[in-house]
Amino acid sequence: GKALLLEELRSVLVADFRARLYLLTAAVGLVLLIACANVTGILLARAPARRVEFSVRAALGASRARLVMQLLAENVVLAVAAGVLGTLMAAWMQQMILEYMQMDVPGTAAGISGSMLAYAVVLSGVTGLLVGIYPALGAARSNLAQDLKVGSHRVTGGGTRFRAGLVVAQVAVSVVLLIGSGLLIQSFARERAVDPGFDPNNLLTVELELPRSKYTQEDGRIQFFTTLLEDVRAMPGVRSASIINHLPIRSPRNTFHVHLPADPENSSSAYLRATVPGYFETMGIRLLAGRGIEAHDEDGATRVVVINQRTAQAYFPDGDAVGRQLVVDFFGDATVLEVVGVVGDVRMSELNAPPRPAVYLSYKQSPYNTMQLAVRTDVEPTTIIRALRNAVWNLDSDIPLASLATMRSLIAGSMAERRTIAVSVTLYAALPLLLAAVGLYAVLAYHVSQRGHELGVRMALGADPRELGRSVLSQGVGLVAVGLLVGLAGALGFTRMIRQMLFGVEPTDVATYVGVSLFVLLVALIACLVPAWRAVRTDPMVVLQAE
């Protein structure tokens, strides 16, 4: 009934990060796509102004291929220059990035490597080529007779429609990323609000490992930790102190199977913890029934266990767990324990993981070599570190204090990766929205400038300036509305991809969709106001005289 499962080491190392890396890569790609759309729009807007230049070049003998090559060369130079500038900015900001981003994945190389630099430069050049092809082909289609005429610089409808399509695409991508970031931020906020089952405030933690060569006897381990706790509890600023083999959040491991004596087939995995009297009081874990671990629960006495609420509900649904028996399977050695108390559930691994069954044994009946110390203080926990170190080394100077950390920092660290993802996607969403707003403004401003003659004639014939402003405004809002609808449809698929990263919020959260839609419409309205105001203030006499 046994089987062997072989997995590639690289796949195992990145298994927990794969989905998040794909998400960030997709977000970066979408930002690049929007930037390309904006650049394409700018090149298309520049094309009419240079049409006379290209017509003159063509009249002097330049072929269409030469004109296209010239424009592509200009684009590649600009793109590579932008890539180099971006790389320099990344090098300048990398220390800040590394301090902000968690880079503790095995095999991850921090900093900018030669391959990353080459990738950035090549990607910049390829992007310049791809972005410039369509505008270059359009600009190279010159009509000498038409383009050299005065006033022939007006843009054709096709270019305007293409730029309008770019705005729609930008808005759609922005909506997708904004909805994704909104869901991730809500998820992070709800995770922070989760009750861990204990009080993490003013709690200092440290791991102590007794040398096995020196502490071979169980009595020696028990004596060391008993004396240490007495010394730590007597320190100024310390309210209480206790030890356990694995603290929650800090060390989410060590599970064994438990079952009822009469039903060994119905077993489940449970966290196994060995602790001392006062642990539940130090951690702020609620005692729901019976008692906790006490001093007389030592070797030779009845083997006892305190279980959490989840274990009590699973094995004693009648609500009367105290006084009953539970079996813990220690590597095939089934040990019968008497349940003496029930405590509240604690989130052992991370805040977004539901509580699992847990059992607490007496340390004197299961003395480990490595234990973790929890110290509840009345002062800032880090201020007692030196005194705590001295208390340990006064007993044995060969014992290192590993990973001194407050429980607050441990909880923050457990959420750091999800916080990074949420903030990163939010930034990636804000940038496309800004680019979309700029693109929308550029399209409408150019549209108003090209319609100057028409607006002047209409106003000279008695048209209401406010009506003309509303027409420009409605055009911009119409583009945004189309992009918004496309983005909402795309968000339905995108949010299902990040479902596993969400906590306490559904991928189809209505409030997020409505809030993002209103926000995008507000930004679009602001971007449309200046072109609409310019249309309203058009002076028909100035326009007609210029014509």
Side-chain angles (χ1 to χ4, degrees), residues 271-356:
Y271 289 109
L272 188 143
R273 301 292 184 257
T275 187
V276 297
Y279 170 75
F280 301 117
E281 292 79 5
T282 297
M283 295 295 293
I285 300 174
R286 294 174 299 140
L287 181 65
L288 303 179
R291 63 173 177 87
I293 301 298
E294 295 183 353
H296 58 78
D297 297 322
E298 54 190 8
D299 190 29
T302 302
R303 298 293 298 270
V304 299
V305 62
V306 176
I307 61 177
N308 70 339
Q309 191 173 8
R310 185 63 58 94
T311 308
Q313 292 171 348
Y315 291 101
F316 310 105
D318 56 5
D320 187 16
V322 178
R324 310 280 284 274
Q325 290 184 327
L326 193 67
V327 177
V328 177
D329 188 357
F330 292 97
F331 303 106
D333 182 14
T335 302
V336 180
L337 306 169
E338 180 184 341
V339 179
V340 296
V342 179
V343 295
D345 291 330
V346 172
R347 295 180 186 265
M348 295 288 192
S349 57
E350 50 188 356
L351 296 185
N352 64 354
R356 289 177 50 190

Side-chain angles (χ1 to χ4, degrees), residues 81-334:
V84 171
L85 178 61
T87 304
L88 292 176
M89 291 178 62
W92 176 58
M93 298 175 62
Q94 71 172 334
Q95 189 57 42
M96 181 184 69
I97 294 173
L98 293 177
E99 290 177 359
Y100 177 72
M101 299 283 285
Q102 278 202 325
M103 300 291 287
D104 55 355
V105 186
T108 300
I112 299 177
S113 64
S115 59
M116 294 169 65
L117 179 61
Y119 173 78
V121 174
V122 172
L123 181 62
S124 301
V126 173
T127 301
L129 284 174
L130 295 178
V131 169
I133 287 177
Y134 180 79
L137 291 176
R141 296 193 190 98
S142 57
N143 186 322
L144 294 181
Q146 179 67 27
D147 292 344
L148 292 177
K149 290 180 180 179
V150 177
S152 63
H153 56 277
R154 290 194 183 92
V155 132
T156 59
T160 303
R161 287 194 296 271
F162 185 79
R163 289 195 298 276
L166 292 179
V167 171
V168 170
Q170 290 173 336
V171 172
V173 173
S174 301
V175 169
V176 171
L177 290 176
L178 281 171
I179 289 178
S181 66
L183 293 175
L184 289 171
I185 290 175
Q186 282 193 71
S187 177
F188 177 71
R190 295 188 181 186
E191 182 179 354
R192 287 191 62 184
V194 167
D195 179 12
F198 59 91
D199 182 8
N201 297 307
N202 284 47
L203 194 62
L204 183 66
T205 69
V206 63
E207 183 171 286
L208 303 173
E209 182 176 0
L210 304 184
R212 296 184 182 274
S213 59
K214 184 183 297 187
Y215 294 89
T216 58
Q217 301 297 320
E218 295 182 354
D219 291 343
R221 302 174 212 159
I222 295 172
Q223 181 61 42
F224 174 85
F225 283 114
T226 300
T227 305
L228 176 63
L229 286 176
E230 292 175 354
D231 295 343
V232 172
R233 288 165 181 167
M235 288 168 45
V238 173
R239 187 187 311 172
S240 62
S242 190
I243 59 168
I244 193 170
N245 58 335
H246 296 287
L247 283 165
I249 305 297
R250 177 187 174 109
S251 183
R253 55 182 184 269
N254 201 50
T255 59
F256 290 86
H257 278 83
V258 299
H259 59 83
L260 294 175
D263 190 10
E265 298 299 325
N266 184 24
S267 65
S268 63
S269 177
Y271 289 109
L272 188 143
R273 301 292 184 257
T275 187
V276 297
Y279 170 75
F280 301 117
E281 292 79 5
T282 297
M283 295 295 293
I285 300 174
R286 294 174 299 140
L287 181 65
L288 303 179
R291 63 173 177 87
I293 301 298
E294 295 183 353
H296 58 78
D297 297 322
E298 54 190 8
D299 190 29
T302 302
R303 298 293 298 270
V304 299
V305 62
V306 176
I307 61 177
N308 70 339
Q309 191 173 8
R310 185 63 58 94
T311 308
Q313 292 171 348
Y315 291 101
F316 310 105
D318 56 5
D320 187 16
V322 178
R324 310 280 284 274
Q325 290 184 327
L326 193 67
V327 177
V328 177
D329 188 357
F330 292 97
F331 303 106
D333 182 14

